[in-house]
């Protein structure tokens, strides 16, 4: 016959247990556990205690063992349920995410990192969010290496933030190779519980080039679609700008340093029209040209989901968008000073130089 281990109580321990067993301020569970220990100290076995208190034998044996092991603290609280929480080495997680790559992959996922650290994917995601880490994203960038970057930057930003009087500032560029795409099957319209559908494959019916000049003052756009984008088409667009702008205004045109914009024929035409003043963006710095923002809008709002069965239909859609835009135009407000931009470029160059030096060594 198995005999339960005996419990010997001091006078202080016995008095405290009696107080807990009879106090109205004590929880029912703790009072019951105190009675179990008191009966065990009197020499009763677990089965006898169970019969005395109307509980099962296993419960009586559990709290006997807890008291023998931990004393009063052993019966005051229940043991935590479930597996103990896994502690994550956050410093190691951040270091692995930012300084290494998983085997046969370019970036970490929650499951790959969880397998390495022996934690759950949700734990990895929680610590990534807490530390601002998004390894699934990558953003493109390019720092300009133009030797006259500072000069061109100050010139263009100066036109944005302090435009000259009696003059218009126009941001000009071409959006080339705009495709007239038709889908192989009709898409289904959006309805409750289902997004709009569109086939992944398409039929290509040709391309067009959108020439656009954005008025920095009021946000209006002068647009023209042409099949090519050589100097001849650029001259045609310059003539349109000349026709559609007030004759008494000086025109400051911001454009990239594309060879078409500097062609000899273009230079000769500009010499005959002294009210035109060209300002070229630095190499790899098209973000300085605010018309790029308009190109993004027309792409997302009209072209990307559009279905066009011909180039003519595409050009008609572009002209309609430009006309609608000009009914209630809103100018894009430039807020960054040339000094702030230059400081950011300096920081980027210093980091790139350190990266290149580290690679060489």
């Amino acid at each position: 016959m198995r005999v339960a281990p005996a419990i010997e109580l001091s006078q202080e321990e016995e008095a405290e247990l009696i107080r807990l067993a009879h106090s109205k301020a004590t929880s029912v569970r703790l009072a019951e556990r105190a009675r179990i220990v008191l009966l065990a100290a009197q020499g009763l076995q677990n089965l006898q205690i169970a019969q005395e208190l109307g509980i099962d034998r296993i419960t009586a044996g559990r709290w006997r063992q807890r008291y023998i092991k931990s004393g009063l603290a052993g019966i005051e609280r229940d043991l935590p349920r479930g597996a103990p929480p896994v502690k994550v080495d956050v410093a190691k997680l951040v270091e692995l995410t930012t300084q290494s790559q998983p085997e046969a992959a370019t970036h970490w996922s929650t499951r790959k990192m969880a397998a390495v650290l022996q934690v759950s994917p949700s734990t990895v995601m929680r610590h990534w969010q807490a530390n601002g880490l998004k390894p699934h994203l990558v953003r493109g960038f390019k720092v300009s290496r133009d030797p006259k970057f500072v000069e061109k930057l100050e010139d263009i930003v100066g036109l944005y933030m302090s435009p000259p009087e009696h003059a218009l500032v126009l941001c000009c560029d071409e959006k080339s190779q705009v495709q007239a795409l038709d889908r192989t099957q009709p898409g289904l319209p959006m309805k409750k519980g289902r997004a709009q559908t569109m086939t992944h494959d398409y039929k290509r019916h040709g391309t067009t080039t959108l020439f656009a000049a954005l008025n920095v003052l009021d946000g209006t756009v002068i647009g023209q679609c042409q099949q090519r984008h050589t100097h001849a088409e650029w001259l045609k667009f310059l003539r349109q700008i000349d026709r559609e702008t007030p004759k008494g205004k000086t025109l400051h045109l911001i454009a990239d340093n594309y060879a078409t914009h500097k062609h000899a024929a273009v230079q000769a035409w500009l010499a005959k029209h002294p009210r035109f003043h060209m300002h070229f963006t630095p190499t790899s710095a098209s973000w300085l040209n605010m018309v790029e923002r308009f190109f993004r809008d027309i792409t997302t709002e009209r072209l990307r989901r559009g279905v066009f069965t011909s180039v003519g239909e595409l050009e008609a859609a572009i002209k309609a968008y430009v006309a609608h835009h000009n009914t209630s135009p809103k100018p894009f407000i430039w807020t960054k000073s040339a000094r702030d931009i230059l400081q950011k470029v300096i920081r980027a160059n210093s980091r790139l130089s350190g990266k290149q030096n580290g690679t060489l060594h």
Side-chain angles (χ1 to χ4, degrees):
M1 180 178 178
R2 297 180 60 182
V3 179
I7 295 179
E8 294 183 3
L9 299 176
S10 64
Q11 292 183 355
E12 293 80 5
E13 290 174 338
E14 184 176 4
E16 179 64 18
L17 289 170
I18 292 173
R19 185 187 69 80
L20 292 174
H22 296 89
S23 174
K24 294 183 179 180
T26 305
S27 66
V28 175
R29 291 182 178 181
L30 182 56
E32 181 181 87
R33 295 166 191 174
R35 294 190 188 97
I36 292 173
V37 176
L38 288 171
L39 293 175
Q42 295 174 14
L44 273 67
Q45 297 298 307
N46 294 334
L47 182 59
Q48 296 171 317
I49 296 173
Q51 293 172 347
E52 178 75 18
L53 299 179
I55 59 177
D56 60 87
R57 179 179 57 82
I58 297 176
T59 301
R62 178 189 303 123
W63 296 112
R64 178 196 291 265
Q65 293 292 342
R66 296 265 183 92
Y67 189 86
I68 293 173
K69 181 178 180 181
S70 304
L72 184 60
I75 65 172
E76 286 180 334
R77 293 183 180 179
D78 293 336
L79 291 178
R81 298 182 179 181
V86 179
K87 293 185 177 181
V88 182
D89 189 344
V90 180
K92 182 179 180 181
L93 185 149
V94 173
E95 181 182 359
L96 287 175
T97 306
T98 58
Q99 305 297 327
S100 67
Q101 294 179 349
E103 185 177 356
T106 59
H107 60 280
W108 290 98
S109 68
T110 55
R111 288 171 177 80
K112 287 185 174 67
M113 183 63 72
V116 172
L117 298 180
Q118 298 298 310
V119 296
S120 66
S122 60
T123 300
V124 175
M125 177 58 70
R126 184 172 65 254
H127 288 290
W128 275 353
Q129 291 176 345
N131 290 275
L133 297 175
K134 300 178 180 180
H136 64 290
L137 296 181
V138 61
R139 293 179 178 173
F141 84 104
K142 181 68 178 292
V143 178
S144 175
R145 301 298 187 186
D146 195 316
K148 295 184 178 180
F149 176 80
V150 177
E151 177 184 340
K152 294 178 179 179
L153 172 69
E154 292 176 344
D155 178 34
I156 294 174
V157 175
L159 288 174
Y160 290 156
M161 304 194 75
S162 182
E165 295 182 358
H166 309 294
L168 294 179
V169 179
L170 301 176
C171 297
C172 306
D173 201 2
E174 305 95 352
K175 183 174 178 60
S176 60
Q177 299 295 312
V178 183
Q179 301 184 82
L181 300 181
D182 184 16
R183 301 295 160 175
T184 57
Q185 295 176 1
L188 298 175
M190 179 177 60
K191 71 174 186 179
K192 184 177 180 180
R194 185 190 68 196
Q196 180 183 357
T197 65
M198 178 180 289
T199 59
H200 66 277
D201 53 347
Y202 54 84
K203 297 177 183 178
R204 190 168 178 266
H205 295 290
T207 62
T208 189
T209 295
L210 170 61
F211 289 77
L214 173 70
N215 190 332
V216 174
L217 180 63
D218 58 11
T220 57
V221 173
I222 300 173
Q224 183 182 107
C225 290
Q226 302 189 62
Q227 289 301 307
R228 304 173 65 191
H229 54 101
T230 65
H231 75 278
E233 285 74 25
W234 174 243
L235 277 173
K236 185 177 178 181
F237 183 57
L238 290 178
R239 294 187 185 100
Q240 180 182 357
I241 294 175
D242 190 27
R243 291 192 304 270
E244 297 186 11
T245 53
K247 296 299 182 182
K249 297 286 187 180
T250 302
L251 302 180
H252 294 270
L253 271 61
I254 298 172
D256 59 31
N257 55 5
Y258 184 41
T260 297
H261 301 156
K262 299 180 177 180
H263 194 275
V266 175
Q267 296 294 334
W269 188 89
L270 291 173
K272 295 178 182 179
H273 297 77
R275 78 184 187 115
F276 282 78
H277 298 273
M278 297 300 300
H279 303 265
F280 295 107
T281 61
T283 306
S284 303
S286 60
W287 46 268
L288 268 174
N289 197 331
M290 284 204 287
V291 77
E292 299 293 343
R293 183 65 173 79
F294 172 77
F295 286 157
R296 192 192 77 169
D297 286 350
I298 192 173
T299 299
T300 57
E301 295 176 5
R302 186 62 185 94
L303 300 178
R304 185 166 293 157
R305 295 191 187 183
V307 177
F308 310 103
T309 58
S310 66
V311 173
E313 187 177 340
L314 170 63
E315 292 182 349
I318 292 174
K319 292 176 183 177
Y321 181 89
V322 173
H324 180 268
H325 171 85
N326 289 336
T327 58
S328 56
K330 292 183 180 179
F332 301 121
I333 306 301
W334 191 274
T335 58
K336 284 288 185 180
S337 67
R339 180 185 180 88
D340 293 338
I341 297 172
L342 188 58
Q343 290 297 324
K344 188 173 182 179
V345 171
I346 291 173
R347 290 195 300 270
N349 277 322
S350 64
R351 291 175 182 175
L352 286 175
S353 299
K355 190 73 173 177
Q356 290 171 351
N357 292 336
T359 303
L360 291 174
H361 292 295

